[in-house]
Amino acid sequence: MSTSPNLKSNIKLRSGVSVTSITGKGLFKSFGEGEMQTTAVNDVSIDIKQGEVALMMGPSGSGKTTLLAILSGLLKPDSGKVTALGQDIWTMSEREREHFRLKHCSFIFQGYNLFSSLTARQQLEIVAQWGDGASSREARKKADEILDVLGLLKKAHLRPGELSGGEKQRVAIGRALIKNPDFCFADEPTSALDWAHGEQVIDILRSAAHERGCTVLIVAHDARVIPYADKIFYLEDGKMIDDGGKSIHKTYGKMP
Amino acid sequence: MSYALSTLWYDRQRYLPGVLAVGFSALLIALQCGLLLGLFSITSIPVDHTTADIWLGAPEVLSVDLGRPIREASLARLASQPEIERVEIYLQGFSYWSKPDGGTELCMVIGSRLDENALGKVKELSKDLYLQLSEPGTIVIDESDLGRLGVKGVGDHAEVAGNRVRIVGLTTGLKSLAGPYVFCSINTARPLLRVFPDQITYVLGKCFNPKDAATVVSRLKENQNVSAFTSPEFSLRSRMHWLLKTKAGIALGYAAALGLLVGAVVTSQTLYSATAASLREFAVLRAMGIPRWRMQFMVMQQSLFVGIIGVGLALPAVHGLAAVADYFGGRVELPIWLQSIAAIVTLTMALFSGLFALRSLRNVEPAALLR
Ligand SMILES: Nc1ncnc2c1ncn2[C@@H]1O[C@H](COP(=O)(O)OP(=O)(O)OP(=O)(O)O)[C@@H](O)[C@H]1O
Ligand SMILES: [Mg+2]
């Protein structure tokens, strides 16, 4: 198991007790056959506590997205075990896993993936209505609460075409948070944004973790995210590197 | 519901072809059926242009022009119904017209009472025409049939079933299909139709209150020896009989099926591509565990709305085109039941298109978001 460098040791975890939220053990995943085979995730073990912001870094092609997908129940590992909230998610049936994701998991992917025909508010409402079976009234109330927190209430009636990139990504975060998830998986949520907006996004995810107890796993390239993380993992060629932060320093330079 | 509608409205340009395809199908079906109904309405002229509420004839009469002789005594059966104000006898049947210069033609002889309030007299027979018809051996034909019957006009003579007849007048606007109409009195009609003196074709009845016609008819229907219809029933029955008998219905069926097929292909393609354009968005929802049926349901709602809007656009257009056809002398009949059938058939088509478009959702895979 990798005990990754906690570069920001002054962060206090809520309630002081740290509960293991998700663990991966001995994870392997390779693509292709024979000569063409690439091992995207190679014997990785990982452990994230509840309410933590975990940051996953590493060069392009190192397997970050693949690992995120395995941990989040989207991509089956070739071998290894993922335990989330005490449940082994890869021995579940497809249906059970889908239900698990419905109850506990949210996602933010690169590119905002918002319905071009729906307003910011509707993007959130659709998750509340279709996911939780909320009435349109409840859904609207919840959506407006979240949009308010995200500073988007005034733009609730606008469609993606009328929103800036940062606003769109905040709507995507709102869509992830409206179900009050136990996990939020974010694959490069900031890479399309300038730092001012990227910081805003990370800040929101951090308060989701620290204030709501959501376990957040962020894949990011930007070294400026590092100070916001409770825990950092570094992947290279599908392997988790645990050298007390040296690789991170080497790749991303001196910490701010 | 609102997401389907919002998307439809916002992306209306994308959905337009589907809406138009549905509308076109509905238009095609309604207009074609309406045109044929209009065409075959010629066969029900004797019912539609007279004032009887009830027609009573031989058992299982298929169409007004296919009536068989019944006993004149049947009059009493209708007359004895309490709702009936008055009854009268009526003769109608095919006969042979011999043109003055040789050659024969099928004709349709109609013999009715000829007073002001006669139930079986077509409304085109004006007072001075029907007064003249009381003279035995006189007839009135429609001016549109002069050429077909080989006569020049009023005063000409011809033979019907071997009986010499004289034309005393002409009507306008009573076109015929199988055989030209020959209007005359009941006494003139008997020899022309070669029926016995106590034989008639129909008993016509008028109710004190026309609304009672259906009640009387259903009571009369219990009797196996006669058939009875309200006039709207008999009119429709006559038209439908010829529509089916002439196989015009088959031509209609083909055209309608083709229209529906084209409509279905365009509609499902529209829905398919509209859904496919949001695959990544749907995939995010799938990743978050939202069940696929929610998305399928939304596509089905969209197909329903596309159908409703398409039909909604088509119906006024059908009425507009029917008015244009009327102006050019064609006849389009658009009864409510026909419009409803056209609407239901095209809505069903739209829903099937939606079902077909569901396959686009099969490609919704969260894994697609990882690249
Ligand atoms: N579906 C796939 N089929 C084949 N190979 C794949 C597939 N997904 C990932 N790979 C390979 O696995 C390796 C890891 O990919 P992954 O997307 O996890 O990297 P990453 O760390 O997220 O990179 P980036 O920072 O560029 O997003 C890469 O070599 C990639 O080519
Ligand atoms: Mg990646």
Side-chain angles (χ1 to χ4, degrees):
Chain A
M1 198 179 302
S2 83
T3 44
S4 294
N6 192 337
L7 297 177
K8 239 196 161 199
S9 46
N10 58 340
I11 281 173
K12 279 181 266 144
L13 278 179
R14 291 166 317 106
S15 76
V17 196
S18 40
V19 187
T20 297
S21 184
I22 189 164
T23 354
K25 268 209 179 82
L27 298 171
F28 280 92
K29 179 75 191 177
S30 55
F31 296 102
E33 303 265 320
E35 296 239 322
M36 302 291 289
Q37 193 174 46
T38 50
T39 304
V41 172
N42 194 349
D43 192 18
V44 169
S45 293
I46 187 168
D47 178 32
I48 309 171
K49 305 259 181 300
Q50 194 206 334
E52 255 184 348
V53 176
L55 177 62
M56 187 141 58
M57 306 191 86
S60 184
S62 57
K64 304 182 294 294
T65 299
T66 308
L67 181 57
L68 176 135
I70 291 171
L71 292 173
S72 60
L74 293 180
L75 189 70
K76 192 172 170 59
D78 296 336
S79 63
K81 182 172 168 180
V82 175
T83 312
L85 303 175
Q87 288 174 272
D88 182 343
I89 63 169
W90 286 110
T91 56
M92 291 176 182
S93 72
E94 183 75 42
R95 253 190 117 84
E96 288 167 336
R97 196 162 37 250
E98 192 176 310
H99 190 69
F100 183 88
R101 292 204 312 265
L102 178 61
K103 297 207 80 165
H104 306 294
C105 303
S106 272
F107 293 86
I108 298 156
F109 294 101
Q110 198 178 355
Y112 317 107
N113 300 310
L114 300 172
F115 290 97
S116 60
S117 54
L118 300 183
T119 63
R121 181 183 285 123
Q122 284 176 313
Q123 314 272 356
L124 272 63
E125 286 173 339
I126 206 169
V127 173
Q129 285 196 271
W130 287 8
D132 294 348
S135 71
S136 57
R137 210 179 168 163
E138 292 164 0
R140 190 187 167 110
K141 193 165 154 272
K142 278 192 189 175
D144 282 358
E145 274 171 26
I146 300 273
L147 287 171
D148 196 18
V149 171
L150 299 177
L152 281 172
L153 202 49
K154 273 196 201 137
K155 313 232 163 178
H157 61 287
L158 297 180
R159 295 194 167 75
E162 302 152 324
L163 295 170
S164 74
E167 288 164 343
K168 277 187 275 209
Q169 195 61 300
R170 274 187 280 157
V171 173
I173 295 175
R175 173 170 65 183
L177 296 184
I178 191 171
K179 63 192 259 193
N180 207 359
D182 294 300
F183 299 101
C184 185
F185 299 95
D187 192 1
E188 313 206 18
T190 60
S191 60
L193 306 175
D194 60 37
W195 176 240
H197 289 106
E199 185 181 24
Q200 215 173 14
V201 164
I202 298 296
D203 233 6
I204 296 164
L205 288 174
R206 210 165 84 115
S207 40
H210 295 171
E211 285 158 28
R212 295 165 177 241
C214 177
T215 306
V216 176
L217 176 59
I218 302 173
V219 169
H221 273 305
D222 195 329
R224 287 176 289 191
V225 178
I226 293 173
Y228 293 83
D230 300 321
K231 199 181 240 180
I232 300 177
F233 300 98
Y234 187 79
L235 276 186
E236 208 169 275
D237 279 342
K239 282 198 175 295
M240 191 75 91
I241 309 289
D242 181 14
D243 56 5
K246 278 191 204 127
S247 303
I248 299 173
H249 282 283
K250 211 170 81 197
T251 316
Y252 297 102
K254 209 172 149 25
M255 289 307 104
Chain B
M1 202 56 103
S2 63
Y3 306 117
L5 262 184
S6 299
T7 306
L8 215 61
W9 176 244
Y10 183 77
D11 272 346
R12 51 197 177 276
Q13 245 156 336
R14 189 194 283 283
Y15 289 96
L16 192 64
V19 169
L20 292 181
V22 169
F24 181 71
S25 298
L27 186 114
L28 202 69
I29 294 174
L31 213 54
Q32 277 201 312
C33 291
L35 269 168
L36 274 181
L37 266 187
L39 179 63
F40 285 98
S41 69
I42 291 172
T43 62
S44 61
I45 280 177
V47 182
D48 300 334
H49 291 220
T50 55
T51 51
D53 295 327
I54 293 174
W55 289 66
L56 182 129
E60 287 160 39
V61 169
L62 295 171
S63 161
V64 63
D65 48 6
L66 297 177
R68 297 185 306 280
I70 54 173
R71 305 270 312 277
E72 193 168 340
S74 310
L75 192 74
R77 182 167 289 150
L78 188 54
S80 66
Q81 303 295 325
E83 295 89 346
I84 293 292
E85 180 191 331
R86 62 199 158 92
V87 291
E88 66 181 51
I89 56 175
Y90 178 93
L91 284 110
Q92 174 171 358
F94 286 105
S95 191
Y96 288 96
W97 175 282
S98 308
K99 299 179 192 172
D101 53 359
T104 56
E105 186 70 39
L106 198 65
C107 67
M108 169 64 66
V109 175
I110 291 180
S112 66
R113 300 258 323 249
L114 294 167
D115 50 81
E116 175 82 46
N117 298 316
L119 299 177
K121 172 180 68 66
V122 292
K123 61 175 188 273
E124 283 79 1
L125 278 181
S126 60
K127 186 160 184 175
D128 45 277
L129 282 185
Y130 70 70
L131 287 180
Q132 293 187 62
L133 283 179
S134 53
E135 185 187 333
T138 58
I139 60 160
V140 164
I141 59 172
D142 194 75
E143 60 176 8
S144 63
D145 288 323
L146 283 172
R148 191 166 163 191
L149 294 175
V151 288
K152 280 181 221 60
V154 175
D156 273 12
H157 290 266
E159 272 184 17
V160 177
N163 303 281
R164 190 174 161 82
V165 292
R166 180 166 61 89
I167 300 166
V168 293
L170 298 173
T171 57
T172 48
L174 293 176
K175 291 201 189 85
S176 57
L177 207 60
Y181 288 115
V182 173
F183 300 99
C184 58
S185 68
I186 284 173
N187 288 334
T188 307
R190 281 216 168 91
L192 304 190
L193 291 171
R194 294 187 166 156
V195 294
F196 295 114
D198 71 332
Q199 281 184 324
I200 56 172
T201 322
Y202 296 105
V203 179
L204 311 186
K206 181 140 199 77
C207 297
F208 290 108
N209 181 353
K211 285 187 188 136
D212 292 330
T215 324
V216 176
V217 162
S218 61
R219 202 182 299 139
L220 290 169
K221 270 180 180 158
E222 287 164 19
N223 190 320
Q224 305 282 312
N225 301 326
V226 291
S227 56
F229 309 94
T230 64
S231 33
E233 257 174 29
F234 202 30
S235 172
L236 180 62
R237 186 179 174 90
S238 305
R239 281 181 250 174
M240 291 313 283
H241 172 74
W242 287 107
L243 183 72
L244 300 176
K245 174 112 178 178
T246 55
K247 309 278 196 284
I250 294 180
L252 176 89
Y254 263 112
L258 273 178
L260 279 177
L261 190 69
V262 172
V265 169
V266 175
T267 309
S268 78
Q269 206 47 44
T270 302
L271 290 166
Y272 183 94
S273 66
T275 310
S278 297
L279 279 190
R280 290 183 69 86
E281 288 74 38
F282 284 127
V284 173
L285 298 184
R286 291 285 296 142
M288 295 212 228
I290 288 172
R292 203 182 289 266
W293 71 262
R294 292 277 187 180
M295 298 152 209
Q296 293 170 332
F297 190 62
M298 174 165 148
V299 173
M300 291 312 290
Q301 284 178 333
Q302 287 177 338
S303 67
L304 182 67
F305 287 130
V306 164
I308 290 174
I309 297 170
V311 168
L313 289 179
L315 288 182
V318 168
H319 283 277
L321 287 173
V324 172
D326 253 357
Y327 180 80
F328 288 108
R331 228 177 110 76
V332 182
E333 295 228 343
L334 295 170
I336 292 295
W337 60 265
L338 173 58
Q339 296 181 43
S340 313
I341 288 178
I344 289 168
V345 168
T346 34
L347 277 181
T348 312
M349 176 210 83
L351 285 175
F352 269 100
S353 312
L355 278 181
F356 207 64
L358 286 185
R359 80 204 135 96
S360 65
L361 288 175
R362 273 195 237 139
N363 305 328
V364 174
E365 275 309 326
L369 297 165
L370 304 176
R371 267 158 265 141

